[in-house]
Amino acid sequence: MPNTTKPVGLPTRGTTGHNRLRRSDRWLVHSPRVRTGLLSATDPLVIDLGYGALPVTTLELAARLRVVRADIRVVGLEIHPERVVPSVDGVEFALGGFELAGLRPVLVRAFNVLRQYPVEAVPEAWAAMQQRLAPGGLIVDGTCDELGRRCCWVLLDAAGPVSFTLACDPFTVERPSDVAERLPKVLIHHNVPGQPVHALLSAADRAWASVAGHGVFGPRVRWRAMLDLLRDQGFPVEPPRRRMRDGVLSVPWAAVAPV
Ligand SMILES: C[S@@+](CC[C@H](N)C(=O)[O-])C[C@H]1O[C@@H](n2cnc3c(N)ncnc32)[C@H](O)[C@@H]1O
């Protein structure tokens, strides 16, 4: 795949691991907005930007998204030339940065990429990717811990951020705000009193404590009860899927946008 433009961005640490991004993959597969984007695309091209030292998460993304649409084409882009590998299982890999190697994808996943940039770099990086999106295209900009137990991501379209989601293994957190250490760059400095993301996480912690009694049925049931309570309190929390393995809390971007 020829890429004549200079990749935009900076090579960073290549930490990755098998199944690290499974929670975000699961969410993508079930998100109505993402599914519609993938199913209605003329060219169902998906880019995994900054896949790291090994292309494992790109291959996992491809396998999971092919359940939604079998003819999805996945390309992994890396800014570090030595990390670009030959194609595997129909997934291609190429040199590229935020300019997306001149491709026009319907979905871009960039996980643990912007986390290593200064916060001032975020708007420009987002804009570069947004310009390259196919009609109806979406971007997932996320961050997680090494094992992928605590994750957060922002979903964006060509116009701006759409939603914010946090996902965790509810068996391994003491309270929802444990995930705050993995907030995306755009929010992490705003997790302070007076900011909406702080208000949401504090309310989630209070709700989690209030529904502690549900813990006897396991942390997944308790998580669900916490979401119900938050909704009763007026937080625009997305209703959980019927059988949800992960602790997921998703809100429209407006509910966390820094003030
Ligand atoms: C920490 S690794 C993340 C790997 C994988 N996405 C994950 O979450 O497990 C970040 C990777 O992003 C690459 N990277 C940084 N900036 C980039 C950019 N602008 N375009 C493409 N790759 C980039 C780095 O070279 C590095 O390999």
Side-chain angles (χ1 to χ4, degrees), residues 8 10 12-13 16 20 50 52 78 83 96-97 111-112 116-117:
V8 176
L10 300 164
T12 52
R13 280 192 316 276
T16 189
R20 186 188 195 195
E78 241 301 331
R83 296 181 183 153
F111 235 88
N112 297 305
Q116 298 183 62
Y117 283 70

Side-chain angles (χ1 to χ4, degrees), residues 33 36-38 40-43 104-107 130-138 157-158:
R33 176 91 190 247
T36 303
L38 292 174
S40 58
T42 325
D43 176 13
R104 199 158 271 288
V106 68
L107 178 65
Q130 285 170 303
Q131 277 167 26
R132 297 298 319 161
L133 289 176
L138 296 165
D157 64 14

Side-chain angles (χ1 to χ4, degrees), residues 22-195:
R22 62 198 177 283
R23 289 178 218 284
S24 133
D25 286 351
R26 286 201 275 266
W27 185 83
L28 290 173
V29 164
H30 288 102
S31 155
R33 176 91 190 247
V34 174
R35 290 178 70 91
T36 303
L38 292 174
L39 291 168
S40 58
T42 325
D43 176 13
L45 171 64
V46 176
I47 290 183
D48 188 19
L49 186 73
Y51 52 83
L54 292 169
V56 289
T57 57
T58 315
L59 298 176
E60 290 161 359
L61 178 70
R64 289 172 180 139
L65 291 183
R66 280 177 186 148
V67 173
V68 178
R69 183 167 168 175
D71 63 343
I72 270 168
R73 198 157 61 89
V74 178
V75 175
L77 293 180
E78 241 301 331
I79 203 162
H80 196 311
E82 285 167 22
R83 296 181 183 153
V84 178
V85 294
S87 310
V88 185
D89 295 339
V91 177
E92 293 170 67
F93 299 95
L95 188 67
F98 296 125
E99 82 302 338
L100 306 181
L103 299 171
R104 199 158 271 288
V106 68
L107 178 65
V108 179
R109 192 267 298 275
F111 235 88
N112 297 305
V113 174
L114 274 166
R115 184 65 195 267
Q116 298 183 62
Y117 283 70
V119 66
E120 302 76 41
V122 175
E124 222 174 293
W126 279 3
M129 294 189 281
Q130 285 170 303
Q131 277 167 26
R132 297 298 319 161
L133 289 176
L138 296 165
I139 299 167
V140 179
D141 167 14
T143 308
C144 68
D145 64 355
E146 291 219 347
L147 297 179
R149 287 181 176 160
R150 296 169 185 203
C151 333
C152 294
W153 58 86
V154 178
L155 180 75
L156 301 112
D157 64 14
V162 173
S163 63
F164 164 73
T165 301
L166 73 76
C168 63
D169 176 352
F171 285 87
T172 65
V173 291
E174 272 182 38
R175 60 186 75 82
S177 68
D178 287 356
V179 187
E181 66 189 47
R182 298 293 154 173
L183 282 171
K185 198 93 221 187
V186 67
L187 288 176
I188 198 156
H189 303 297
H190 295 285
N191 188 24
V192 289
Q195 288 289 346

